Amino acid sequence: MTLEELEARAKKLSMRATNAKMELHDLSEELPTDWQKIPEVAQQTYEIYRDLDEARKAVKAAKQAKE
């Protein structure tokens, strides 16, 4: 992937991460309603943030390699 593609992926994941964070936050505010959804929403949020972390590391590595 090019640096631009990596940056675009990181940006897209960042937006998804923000949405997942808000979904988790909204769920917590509605407790005890829908408490059964906690594991699913938390897992999705975890996976998005894990992917975002990897994407940011790839962007950093690509920038360093370009120098």
Side-chain angles (χ1 to χ4, degrees), residues 20-64:
K21 176 176 68 171
M22 292 308 300
E23 187 175 337
L24 190 60
H25 177 265
D26 291 347
L27 179 60
S28 72
E29 287 190 339
E30 295 170 2
L31 290 173
T33 304
D34 291 334
W35 64 269
Q36 301 91 337
K37 293 182 182 179
I38 294 171
E40 176 187 343
V41 174
Q43 183 65 35
Q44 290 172 352
T45 304
Y46 171 85
E47 290 171 3
I48 291 169
Y49 272 91
R50 180 198 59 213
D51 294 347
L52 176 58
D53 184 58
E54 291 172 2
R56 286 179 173 164
K57 287 177 182 176
V59 167
K60 184 177 180 179
K63 285 182 177 181
Q64 289 175 344

